[in-house]
Amino acid sequence: MIPVDGVAGEKVGVLGLGRSGLSAARALREGGAVPILWDDNPAARAAAEAEGFETRDLGAAGAMDDLTLLVTSPGIPHLYPEPNRVIAAAYAACVPVDNDIGLFFRALSSGAWDDLETPPKVVAVTGSNGKSTTSALIHHILSEAGREVQLAGNIGRGVLDIDPPGEAGVIVLELSSYQTELARALTPDIAVFTNLSPDHLDRHAGLGGYFAAKRRLFAEGGPDRAVIGVDEPEGRYLANQLATARSDDRVIRVSVGQKLSGPGWIVQARKGFLTEWRKGKQVGAIDLREIPGLPGAHNHQNACAAYAAARTLGLGPRQIEAALRTFKGLPHRSQIVAERDGVRFVNDSKATNVDAALKALLAFDRIRWVCGGLMKEGGLAALAPGLPHVAKAYVIGREAAQFALGLDGVEAEVCTDMGTAVARAAAEAEPGDVVLLAPAAASFDQYDNFEKRGEDFAAQVAAFLGS
């Protein structure tokens, strides 16, 4: 646990008692604060009280009067579409609002690690797609190199639940826009921006607000190094804002969609080959094409970002390449769950939007595509570049028929449930085919979350292959 310093004897409100909320409450108590907790869910309050925490309706009249700080969970709206009633009460009472990410950076700058010869470093990763895989890749590369490293934030452990870092320790954080938009302290040593595509627009009042939340990771703390995906205008803007000259190697530009040039530090992947360039000269290269845990251009982008971060931490290209070859991928993200008779079964249940699903479709040549679910705004037209890779679609979900109608030029079979879709796709697959779950839709019409959907896919594949 990372104790929160500078709060001894103070009463601090904690709103939302999920993983991050309870973690923050424990770290505050460890630092000598008196946490006062609230969650609208009675079961969550009861669990907190069982740990000895005081609970209080923090939205009630006068509930903020003795608080010096309110710590809120990232999923709770604080501005758009409208503030939660407790956060609105904090604003009215002039009580500062923070989250566990802000508390973490506050704790890390407290001086507790000043006696270490090599202080710990923080690598923070944000973006729309690929941030989980990029974070896990960085963690894997450092682990394989024998470095002390911990993975936390939006993946792995709660950020305040990790062990205090030791000599030359590295903490890799995956940070969502919900986490970066409110944290009062954001001071990573290395910050990574993967890419940007529309998401969470209600929460951020549009794409501009969403990008602004991501940009705070770079603008607020001024990282020593910034690894920036520049295949979208926002990334190019961000890299330009951070660099003071064309040759400024504090900014590492990453691309899989264009050929970069110039005197700066560049890591790019083209036709499956990752190359590193510094001062106009190539200094490293890796063939990514045969690495099974990193299929497709989107994973090559993740590999480039992770490679760049690892290079800034002193690792050599051959060390990084060896680690990339042993990376197995993350569950529900281009995860190979089975292979038989030349047919691969790939679980990409995390592809909950059209942009992520398109990247999955472009990663394979001939696909038996399991897709569908709770459709999102914008329709399916953006999938068009990937549809030539689809031999046939097997559509699930309550809106399966409507979803199938949106797949122009693709043979589509309405299957509705996962078992039927997997059985039909597997029975019709030929050697060289990939049976791919990449839903391009949310899971909530049939599952609690995308993880449950991916687990069902894997279970249905196992059942079919075992029959």
Side-chain angles (χ1 to χ4, degrees):
M1 177 182 292
I2 306 289
V4 179
D5 294 332
V7 292
E10 298 180 3
K11 290 187 176 181
V12 178
V14 178
L15 175 64
L17 302 180
R19 184 185 70 165
S20 67
L22 279 175
S23 172
R26 295 177 189 123
L28 286 162
R29 184 165 62 183
E30 189 72 14
V34 181
I36 311 294
L37 280 53
W38 182 253
D39 192 296
D40 289 338
N41 184 343
R45 299 198 299 271
E49 290 165 359
E51 289 193 37
F53 289 111
E54 178 184 346
T55 62
R56 175 200 303 174
D57 184 351
L58 296 175
M64 293 284 170
D65 291 350
D66 59 349
L67 302 185
T68 60
L69 178 69
L70 176 67
V71 178
T72 181
S73 294
I76 298 175
H78 66 93
L79 188 58
Y80 302 113
E82 62 182 29
N84 175 276
R85 65 182 184 90
V86 173
I87 294 177
Y91 291 161
C94 300
V95 173
V97 179
D98 205 348
N99 62 17
D100 63 326
I101 303 302
L103 294 182
F104 165 80
F105 281 110
R106 170 176 170 172
L108 212 63
S109 64
S110 65
W113 289 268
D114 289 349
D115 293 337
L116 297 179
E117 184 175 339
T118 306
K121 290 186 179 295
V122 178
V123 181
V125 181
T126 195
S128 296
N129 297 307
K131 57 184 180 293
S132 294
T133 299
T134 299
S135 301
L137 262 176
I138 296 169
H139 177 266
H140 177 75
I141 292 166
L142 294 172
S143 296
E144 291 291 291
R147 299 284 291 271
E148 178 198 309
V149 59
Q150 300 181 74
L151 181 63
N154 207 41
I155 187 175
R157 301 162 71 183
V159 68
L160 293 169
D161 281 334
I162 65 173
D163 301 324
E167 183 73 32
V170 180
I171 301 164
V172 182
L173 302 181
E174 180 199 337
L175 299 181
S176 71
S177 58
Y178 291 4
Q179 293 168 310
T180 58
E181 69 173 345
L182 193 61
R184 286 177 166 260
L186 283 170
T187 53
D189 298 280
I190 302 164
V192 180
F193 177 85
T194 59
N195 51 56
L196 194 83
S197 60
D199 209 354
H200 309 305
L201 300 188
D202 287 347
R203 170 69 177 259
H204 299 294
L207 185 60
Y210 177 51
F211 175 55
K214 301 284 189 185
R215 183 179 178 272
R216 288 192 76 244
L217 182 63
F218 303 84
E220 295 296 316
D224 295 334
R225 298 278 188 186
V227 178
I228 310 293
V230 295
D231 286 338
E232 293 85 30
E234 293 85 358
R236 293 190 286 275
Y237 165 82
L238 183 57
N240 186 272
Q241 287 280 297
L242 295 172
T244 58
R246 293 184 68 217
S247 59
D248 188 349
D249 67 0
R250 294 173 304 167
V251 177
I252 306 175
R253 291 172 169 83
V254 167
S255 175
V256 294
Q258 56 190 310
K259 184 177 181 180
L260 303 181
S261 61
W265 196 345
I266 294 167
V267 179
Q268 58 188 334
R270 292 174 58 80
K271 298 181 179 179
F273 285 88
L274 179 155
T275 56
E276 177 189 4
W277 299 77
R278 300 189 73 172
K279 298 180 180 179
K281 296 181 179 180
Q282 183 175 318
V283 296
I286 298 174
D287 185 352
L288 300 173
R289 294 173 299 174
E290 300 304 320
I291 298 179
L294 297 168
H298 61 306
N299 276 310
H300 295 173
Q301 182 186 54
N302 300 334
C304 286
Y307 175 99
R311 290 288 279 143
T312 68
L313 291 167
L315 274 66
R318 298 285 74 82
Q319 280 181 294
I320 300 171
E321 179 178 4
L324 292 178
R325 294 192 180 281
T326 60
F327 182 67
K328 301 299 184 183
L330 288 178
H332 318 298
R333 298 165 177 87
S334 298
Q335 176 194 16
I336 300 173
V337 297
E339 186 168 358
R340 179 183 288 182
D341 299 329
V343 177
R344 281 178 290 168
F345 296 82
V346 177
N347 168 21
D348 203 342
S349 185
K350 184 63 169 64
T352 59
N353 58 47
V354 167
D355 183 67
L358 174 60
K359 289 180 169 63
L361 294 180
L362 292 173
F364 305 103
D365 292 330
R366 182 175 166 86
I367 299 167
R368 301 282 173 178
W369 181 27
V370 180
C371 56
L374 194 62
M375 295 177 64
K376 296 186 175 181
E377 293 183 8
L380 304 176
L383 290 167
L387 296 184
H389 295 239
V390 178
K392 184 177 177 180
Y394 306 82
V395 189
I396 64 173
R398 290 205 304 259
E399 301 174 344
Q402 181 183 352
F403 193 102
L405 289 173
L407 302 177
D408 292 337
V410 173
E411 181 184 357
E413 179 176 340
V414 175
C415 298
T416 307
D417 64 275
M418 185 70 74
T420 302
V422 168
R424 295 288 298 146
E428 296 180 357
E430 302 171 359
D433 286 358
V434 172
V435 176
L436 170 69
L437 171 66
S443 60
F444 305 123
D445 58 334
Q446 293 181 308
Y447 302 93
D448 290 340
N449 49 53
F450 73 84
E451 292 95 340
K452 293 295 184 184
R453 177 172 58 192
E455 290 166 6
D456 189 23
F457 173 78
Q460 297 296 339
V461 169
F464 181 88
L465 296 181
S467 59

